[in-house]
Amino acid sequence: MTTITSSVFTVSKLALLVAAFIGTNAYGQATRNQYQIEEITVTAQKRDQSIQDVPVSISAYDGALLESLGVAELDTLSEITPGLVIQEQSPNNPGFVIRGITSDSGSSQAAPRVSIYYNGADVSRSRGSYFELFDIERIEVVKGPQATLFGTAASVGALSVITRKPQEEFGAEIKASVGNYSAETLSGFVTGGNSQVQGRLAFSYRQRDGFIRNIAGEAGSQNPDGFDQEDMHGIERTAFRPSLRFTPNEDVTIDLVYTYEKNDDTGTSFKNGLYAPTGGDTSAFSFVEMSGSPLSQEVFGRKDLGVERTVDDLNLTVNWDINQDLTFTSITAGRSFDSLEVFDADGTQAWFLEFAEDATGDQFSQEFRFVHQGDKLTTIAGVSYFTEDGSQAVPFSTEESVFLNCLGVFAAFAQPCVASDGTVPVLTPILTEGAAQLLPYRLEFENYGETDAYSAFTDMTYAVNEALELTAGLRYVREDKTSGYRSDAPASVLTGSELFTVDTDGKVFRAEEDYDDWLPRFNLLYVLNEDINMYATISKGRRSDVLNVTSVRGGDGTGEKSVTEIPAEIIWNYEAGIKGQAFDKSVNYNASVFYQDYSNFQVTLLDDEGVAYAADAGSATNVGAEAEVRALLGADFEIFANLAYLDATIDDDSTNGDLAGNRFRLQPEWTGSVGMFYATELSQGFNLTSSLVYSYRSDVFFEPANAPISGLDISEDSVSLVSARIGIAGTDEGWAVNLFASNLLDKEYLVDAGNTGGGFGNPTFVAGAPRFYGIEFKMRFGE
């Protein structure tokens, strides 16, 4: 666990740093007012606008800034964005948290809460939403419900990633790095064309050994059948993105972008908190003995633990400037993913809780949108269609006597699940009087989800005068949903009873329903002066109804269909903020306060058999504030700082059941960061470049219950991380060499706890990444 840091003390330090930065800048700008921060243009309101003129809370980063910080993974954005936490157990299981609300359910029957947009198309389904960050033009993080313009998945916010597009001039780049844990990366792009057709090819390859040693297969370990497993958290990720741009005339731009990604990672170290590996301890940061199942190839289709995942994405975007006031946009997109993750849910050498998740999904979306910009009135209107077909299969393997003994069924034998010397008692020979040495048990759960969503939306902004601008928007959405469930859970040979009560005897149970809703937003923007804008907003968000289909055991012992409808989660967001610039545009800043009211707050829980299910936790409230500042302290020195506070809890009301009064999972009260960029000319032809980022996150709970499991704390104390880069580059920016490090101080921290094992009374703990460091080489041609 990390050393506990006082939240108040840390936040005070951040506030003092911000004040010091602004104060220092005020002094410097008295004599150097020629340095200005470049204006950031965003498309959060479906048209090009300065970020200062957008009346919502938004953080935006261009590709140059991301490269200067070495941001290559989505979870790194958490370190620089207030109110955002991205948790990555694996590329198959990312969690996106905006203002304390988590979107990470893998169930095909549940809808996401946070919209992940990739080149303007919704890719929010959890198992398909992760992607590598390479050759990026811009990332926008929009907070608060954005359903009017981003769709129903944006019930609490949206993360939008726009890739770089082809250009006419020839340009190319190659970048390579090596680092500890045998890390190697290679990425780059090439682009060029003529006045009517331009092309671009970007690619990325990353591989690294695991940072949690797995002794399974080593001499003295208790692994079955000579199982040999690589160290955990190793990665191998390949991606490439060819794109074409057609410009038949100056009014029409057509972009065709294809993205392919393949992940082959060694898997997640779910370390058991109760039982130690052979010769080890229960610390999440020491070695594990995760041996998987002897039937892994037969049951899961993969011999060893780890993740195999492929994603295909095709996007066609057409922009047509019909005249100087009217623009038409069409976005046609398809995305499919196929992900198999085999994991040891008990995190021990025992053949106890061996699971896999085989998730697939196919989606198609089409949006037509018109934007008319008049002298006083700007109107956005459009329609969209979204269809998705997904499944999530969860195979399971165990040895019957080990499974029942680890659950305490055979207490009379007084045998531990895992003995102190690392051995695993197998009681089958005793219970069967020698008739069997092992009794393998296997089952599979599978859920299905199909959704067809139809939307129509309009958004109008009226400039009352030069100072006041009013916006009203409305989206109507209709969803046709089909949910399905199948399981095959045989009875135990040892006991004759059912080990798992949820069973359909192999049949598929289905249910259908349709839902609709109206989702409005109202914004006010007031221009106080040429440097300061103030805004207020009211918006409604909606997480779709859950049509939960499962099975219960009937009176005759066979499975019977059970259908539960979890009402749509409704969010009303009330927010006010200020955006401004100072000292001749060398400083810009924004701050906001918000209040969010939830009804039918949806949570994902684990039943006594480790099966995840959606539940209605009742009403909830979220109150918070966020602030960002960025300043130039001269031509060579730039700093930024941000801070966010959240008080998000399920209302302490008796009608909200056992979770009443609990904090949201994965929600820190305080997050903040401070960073700097410094560059200067060393000598003719050589520049020094550098960056430094300090980030802070206060304590979090990893489960909605906010309570220990089997006496073990399922939470994490505050975490502080530092990352840094320093290098030498040519003054013409044609080449660069950089040294880099993340988690520079090598802090130990958790990214998750509880997990599937917690549903069986065996909570597991997932370690965060240690210090990574290396050297990077970059060469650029053309442009």
Side-chain angles (χ1 to χ4, degrees):
M1 304 290 283
T2 56
T3 303
I4 298 176
T5 305
S6 166
S7 296
V8 175
F9 178 65
T10 302
V11 171
S12 297
K13 289 193 296 181
L14 287 170
L16 288 171
L17 283 167
V18 172
F21 289 158
I22 295 176
T24 303
N25 189 63
Y27 175 81
Q29 290 303 317
T31 56
R32 296 194 309 272
N33 61 4
Q34 69 269 38
Y35 308 121
Q36 297 183 347
I37 293 177
E38 185 177 350
E39 183 178 77
I40 299 176
T41 300
V42 296
T43 56
Q45 296 197 123
K46 306 305 180 184
R47 62 189 190 274
D48 291 341
Q49 289 179 285
S50 167
I51 194 171
Q52 296 293 110
D53 297 330
V54 180
V56 297
S57 180
I58 179 171
S59 300
Y61 313 101
D62 63 19
L65 184 142
L66 297 174
E67 289 179 7
S68 64
L69 293 176
V71 175
E73 297 187 70
L74 284 168
D75 59 347
T76 313
L77 292 174
S78 303
E79 299 178 14
I80 57 175
T81 307
L84 173 70
V85 175
I86 300 178
Q87 176 211 60
E88 185 194 326
Q89 280 190 5
S90 74
N92 180 58
N93 191 15
F96 298 92
V97 187
I98 290 183
R99 290 182 172 174
I101 309 300
T102 302
S103 183
D104 64 351
S105 174
S107 171
S108 299
Q109 300 179 4
R113 282 187 176 115
V114 175
S115 271
I116 310 301
Y117 266 69
Y118 185 69
N119 286 325
D122 187 342
V123 298
S124 306
R125 175 59 58 190
S126 172
R127 274 35 179 174
S129 60
Y130 175 85
F131 46 86
E132 297 281 277
L133 293 180
F134 64 102
D135 204 35
I136 299 301
E137 176 184 314
R138 186 174 68 256
I139 294 178
E140 301 174 13
V141 182
V142 191
K143 286 156 279 186
Q146 305 297 326
T148 303
L149 294 179
F150 280 92
T152 56
S155 63
V156 297
L159 189 154
S160 177
V161 177
I162 299 97
T163 63
R164 286 180 174 143
K165 301 304 187 292
Q167 61 188 45
E168 185 175 342
E169 299 81 9
F170 169 77
E173 178 183 279
I174 188 75
K175 182 164 57 177
S177 70
V178 294
N180 61 335
Y181 295 96
S182 302
E184 298 174 343
T185 70
L186 182 67
S187 63
F189 71 85
V190 59
T191 186
N194 56 41
S195 61
Q196 291 190 316
V197 181
Q198 303 95 47
R200 190 180 191 101
L201 175 64
F203 63 92
S204 172
Y205 173 78
R206 299 194 301 137
Q207 75 86 27
R208 188 198 66 238
D209 290 346
F211 56 81
I212 297 292
R213 177 185 167 205
N214 189 0
I215 68 168
E218 297 182 7
S221 72
Q222 305 297 318
N223 63 297
D225 300 330
F227 184 89
D228 188 10
Q229 171 62 43
E230 297 179 82
D231 293 340
M232 311 311 295
H233 298 284
I235 68 169
E236 184 174 1
R237 301 177 185 177
T238 304
F240 61 86
R241 184 192 307 123
S243 54
L244 289 173
R245 168 166 282 187
F246 303 95
T247 51
N249 56 56
E250 62 181 11
D251 298 324
V252 176
T253 301
I254 302 171
D255 285 306
L256 180 64
V257 182
Y258 171 69
T259 303
Y260 171 84
E261 294 202 19
K262 180 175 178 58
N263 310 129
D264 191 1
D265 293 9
T266 63
T268 305
S269 63
F270 295 107
K271 182 70 174 285
N272 193 292
L274 300 174
Y275 304 107
T278 304
D281 56 37
T282 57
S283 166
F285 311 103
S286 60
F287 65 83
V288 297
E289 190 173 4
M290 298 174 64
S291 54
S293 166
L295 302 180
S296 185
Q297 185 67 51
E298 177 185 347
V299 178
F300 305 140
R302 178 185 169 107
K303 178 175 173 55
D304 54 354
L305 305 176
V307 179
E308 294 178 6
R309 176 178 176 269
T310 58
V311 179
D312 291 273
D313 187 283
L314 186 63
N315 183 292
L316 176 66
T317 300
V318 179
N319 285 292
W320 177 24
D321 294 330
I322 299 173
N323 55 47
Q324 64 179 4
D325 298 325
L326 183 62
T327 300
F328 168 76
T329 299
S330 168
I331 302 175
T332 309
R335 189 176 180 89
S336 64
F337 67 88
D338 189 343
S339 182
L340 172 64
E341 180 169 14
V342 179
F343 59 100
D344 186 346
D346 60 272
T348 73
Q349 55 272 45
W351 187 4
F352 177 23
L353 302 175
E354 316 309 325
F355 280 92
E357 182 187 20
D358 190 354
T360 62
D362 293 284
Q363 69 174 62
F364 172 81
S365 62
Q366 175 65 61
E367 180 173 308
F368 297 115
R369 183 174 68 238
F370 288 91
V371 178
H372 182 270
Q373 294 184 283
D375 292 337
K376 284 185 169 291
L377 181 65
T378 298
T379 303
I380 303 172
V383 294
S384 66
Y385 169 70
F386 178 89
T387 183
E388 179 183 43
D389 185 358
S391 67
Q392 180 196 38
V394 184
F396 169 74
S397 170
T398 192
E399 201 283 331
E400 281 197 24
S401 73
V402 172
F403 179 79
L404 294 168
N405 184 48
C406 288
L407 292 181
V409 174
F410 298 139
F413 288 89
Q415 292 291 324
C417 179
V418 177
S420 58
D421 64 356
T423 59
V424 180
V426 179
L427 303 179
T428 294
I430 301 173
L431 296 168
T432 63
E433 298 180 347
Q437 297 302 305
L438 294 172
L439 285 175
Y441 181 90
R442 55 185 291 184
L443 64 82
E444 182 174 88
F445 305 103
E446 187 167 14
N447 61 70
Y448 311 89
E450 299 176 20
T451 300
D452 290 294
Y454 310 85
S455 290
F457 58 92
T458 186
D459 195 79
M460 292 181 288
T461 300
Y462 181 70
V464 179
N465 51 47
E466 292 184 356
L468 180 62
E469 185 177 276
L470 302 176
T471 299
L474 182 67
R475 176 183 288 264
Y476 171 77
V477 60
R478 174 191 166 89
E479 296 176 310
D480 297 335
K481 287 184 171 246
T482 299
S483 292
Y485 179 81
R486 176 191 65 83
S487 63
D488 188 1
S492 167
V493 172
L494 287 176
T495 67
S497 61
E498 306 298 332
L499 289 184
F500 292 84
T501 59
V502 181
D503 186 32
T504 70
D505 299 316
K507 299 188 293 290
V508 178
F509 293 156
R510 295 186 184 275
E512 299 180 2
E513 192 56 79
D514 59 78
Y515 309 95
D516 67 344
D517 207 345
W518 297 88
L519 303 170
R521 77 162 183 160
F522 306 95
N523 289 343
L524 180 151
L525 178 68
Y526 184 75
V527 180
L528 190 63
N529 55 47
E530 64 178 6
D531 292 325
I532 301 176
N533 292 344
M534 303 178 70
Y535 71 91
T537 182
I538 300 173
S539 56
K540 178 185 177 182
R542 172 183 178 270
R543 189 190 193 190
S544 302
D545 304 69
V546 179
L547 183 61
N548 193 49
V549 179
T550 185
S551 172
V552 294
R553 185 67 62 181
D556 59 357
T558 61
E560 295 180 356
K561 182 168 71 172
S562 172
V563 179
T564 304
E565 293 188 54
I566 308 298
E569 178 181 284
I570 302 300
I571 308 101
W572 280 99
N573 179 70
Y574 307 89
E575 183 172 343
I578 184 171
K579 299 185 178 186
Q581 51 195 15
F583 308 114
D584 197 19
K585 298 183 180 180
S586 64
V587 174
N588 64 31
Y589 59 88
N590 66 78
S592 63
V593 294
F594 58 88
Y595 171 82
Q596 295 177 329
D597 183 45
Y598 294 81
S599 57
N600 302 321
F601 186 72
Q602 296 175 7
V603 294
T604 300
L605 304 175
L606 294 176
D607 63 20
D608 294 336
E609 297 173 346
V611 179
Y613 67 96
D616 182 354
S619 59
T621 304
N622 189 358
V623 179
E626 297 166 350
E628 293 179 277
V629 63
R630 185 177 174 189
L632 288 174
L633 306 184
D636 303 328
F637 192 28
E638 178 181 342
I639 58 91
F640 68 87
N642 66 66
L643 184 66
Y645 168 76
L646 288 170
D647 180 14
T649 59
I650 297 170
D651 291 343
D652 194 5
D653 189 310
S654 59
T655 61
N656 289 340
D658 295 338
L659 300 180
N662 288 5
R663 278 169 52 187
F664 297 170
R665 65 180 293 265
L666 293 177
Q667 173 249 308
E669 266 194 307
W670 294 96
T671 57
S673 65
V674 174
M676 50 104 9
F677 304 96
Y678 178 73
T680 189
E681 186 175 357
L682 293 175
S683 63
Q684 187 174 4
F686 296 93
N687 283 345
L688 172 72
T689 62
S690 63
S691 66
L692 181 69
V693 177
Y694 164 85
S695 64
Y696 171 81
R697 184 201 73 191
S698 63
D699 63 296
V700 297
F701 289 104
F702 290 115
E703 298 291 350
N706 289 189
I709 299 176
S710 299
L712 297 179
D713 190 17
I714 311 300
S715 65
E716 172 64 302
D717 297 326
S718 59
V719 175
S720 298
L721 300 175
V722 176
S723 62
R725 292 172 67 88
I726 186 168
I728 298 175
T731 53
D732 60 355
E733 300 184 353
W735 62 272
V737 180
N738 291 289
L739 299 175
F740 62 86
S742 60
N743 192 3
L744 182 64
L745 304 181
D746 205 21
K747 293 283 189 178
E748 293 183 342
Y749 64 99
L750 297 175
V751 297
D752 212 343
N755 304 300
T756 302
F760 294 87
N762 276 259
T764 58
F765 300 81
V766 180
R771 175 169 51 225
F772 292 142
Y773 58 86
I775 184 169
E776 175 190 271
F777 306 87
K778 182 172 71 172
M779 185 72 71
R780 178 165 289 196
F781 310 90
E783 295 190 312

